[in-house]
Amino acid sequence: MSDIIQLLPDHVANQIAAGEVVQRPASIVKELLENSIDAGATKIELIIRDAGKNLIQVVDDGKGMSETDARMSFERHATSKIRGTEDIFKIATKGFRGEALASIAAVSQVELRTKQKDAALGTNIYIEGGVFQFQEPTQTSEGSNFLVKNLFYNVPARRKFLKNNNIEFRHVIDEFQRVALAHEGLEFSLFHDDEPIFRLRRGTQMQRIVDIFGRKLHPQLIPIKEDILWCQLHGFVAKPEGAKKTRGEQFLFVNGRFFKSPYFNKAVQEAFEGLLLPGYIPTFFLFLELDPEKIDVNIHPQKTEVKFEDEHLIFALLRSTIKRALGIYNIAPSLDFERDPQLDEMMNKSFSNKSNNIGNLKMPEIIVDRDYNPFLEERGNPQIEIQNLTKMYHQNFSTEPSKINLFEDEDFDEDLMRLPNGYWLFNKGDRTLMLDLGRMHRLLVAEGNKRSKRSTNRQSLLFSLEYHMNETEKSKYKAIKKYLPELGFEMNINHDSVLSIDAIPEGLNESQVMKFLEDLLEVLEYKTEEEFLQFYQNQWNKMQSKSRFDFIYKADAEQLIKDFTALGFPEFLPNGKRCFYEVPFNDFKNKF
């Protein structure tokens, strides 16, 4: 039997290895921008064509490279950042694996022009599909100029999996923003298809956030600052009105490096407990500074995940500091603006004693269900649901029998009754249902719009409405603007990034326009253009619908129930949420 195991050719191995580092154009943007920062650049320019599929160019004024270093930088595992294994655990720079440029060159056509300070000439290198083509002296500016062309030209199977330009460019903007937010002292520019997208001046952290996300965010930002010897926390959180329905403006950094952490996101969410509507996520820009030996950034190829030595303490630090800041700015009630004594004790112990037992300490919690909702399937335990329902009945009808007999009250109707939480109880034959009239109304509105094929006539506004857009919103707007005229909108963006709205669809109140537009630009994140019309229709239906709290009169409730019955009394909305819930009254006899 012949041998079947053999070594892969170098170019094939390099292309496979490149898959860990280069997933899309945004991956290259991240690596090249970080290289420029490590090179000491003060001014960095990013130039993109076709969302990075055909060109990604990064020009910086850093220290540049020698002829030998320029050639060596494209070899696998070649790096200036590490000399021994121990160096991995005290990384203070961005790129350090020594794989990025080799991986990029393996799946594209790369040209590098670079020159060191005071050198008479620079060097020009060209590599195609990982194969070195030439290197020659050249006249060029001090610093480095990387050009990455025709990404995945030699791996067509991977190129076809790239998304459309709108989506890929949105990922490019994400990476650009993450790097720029962490380095407010540097000047950044971004151009896409010759159009300037960002021109970011050097300034303060606050100025950088506002320059990226727009002036309307400025009055919402609350400063966060805490120093506990071995860890410093600073940055900003937005007031509750700045919260979003989807993730997007939640940024965590450690030592100037962006990272993702659902665990730390939960700490921020808990700090806003009781301040946000269900489903909303706070906006935050938070920066941690601590000893590089206390973190491990080498656990993920894109270095977006970080392992912390004392993550439980940092969780407590985030939650406590943010909650205190919200209290100071009168966003949330606070009895004591001083730092949590228990947190201080934990920090001091951690600083003086590295016992692993510290990580097992847990902050005390009081869990209160402030918004019991039997329509959420995950509420689970039917016995608890029965207990809650019993409480509601006792709160509304329980009193001393000698004083009131409910069944002799002429106004009492045992067929239909409104509860204090907005739900209604409805007897239908031998079944008793708890109704969410808001969801029932939404389904009726959707069916009505479907049958009538809502008119897209427009109504002109006497005075134009203006909406200040940041670059992220502009990018999303450009992806959907071709649909808006046929939907009844008339709008355009002027040179100051202000969206001027001159006409809106019939049926849309002027007071609803801004909120409706924000919902479109927010929830559309990473959706394809083809999904937009369906999403728009869902938002339109939702906007026209009433909530369960809008139904306070019995006559309105009765009419809605009749209309809903004609619809077949469906139990669920298309998204799977319940319209009604059957009350298991037979189980109540076990409670008495």
Side-chain angles (χ1 to χ4, degrees), residues 426 428 433-447 451 556-574 577-581:
F426 172 55
K428 185 176 183 181
L433 309 179
M434 185 183 290
L435 309 178
D436 187 327
L437 297 190
R439 290 180 181 173
M440 292 165 63
H441 185 252
R442 187 184 308 175
L443 195 56
L444 286 169
V445 167
E447 289 299 317
R451 289 193 298 268
D556 294 334
E558 288 177 337
Q559 184 58 52
L560 179 65
I561 292 171
K562 289 178 183 178
D563 295 340
F564 200 72
T565 300
L567 204 62
F569 226 86
E571 186 174 0
F572 297 98
L573 293 176
K577 293 184 177 179
R578 286 180 177 273
C579 292
F580 62 86
Y581 169 84

Side-chain angles (χ1 to χ4, degrees), residues 97-114:
R97 288 171 175 266
E99 300 175 359
L101 294 184
S103 296
I104 293 169
V107 291
S108 64
Q109 300 163 332
V110 176
E111 183 177 0
L112 166 62
R113 296 193 289 268
T114 184

Side-chain angles (χ1 to χ4, degrees), residues 368-380:
V368 179
D369 190 349
R370 300 178 184 277
D371 189 25
Y372 169 74
N373 186 343
F375 295 91
L376 295 178
E377 295 292 337
E378 61 268 22
R379 289 291 178 183

Side-chain angles (χ1 to χ4, degrees), residues 520-533:
L520 292 181
L521 296 177
E522 179 181 322
V523 187
L524 190 65
E525 183 119 31
Y526 300 136
K527 290 185 179 292
T528 62
E529 294 180 7
E530 291 73 20
E531 294 176 289
F532 171 70
L533 290 178

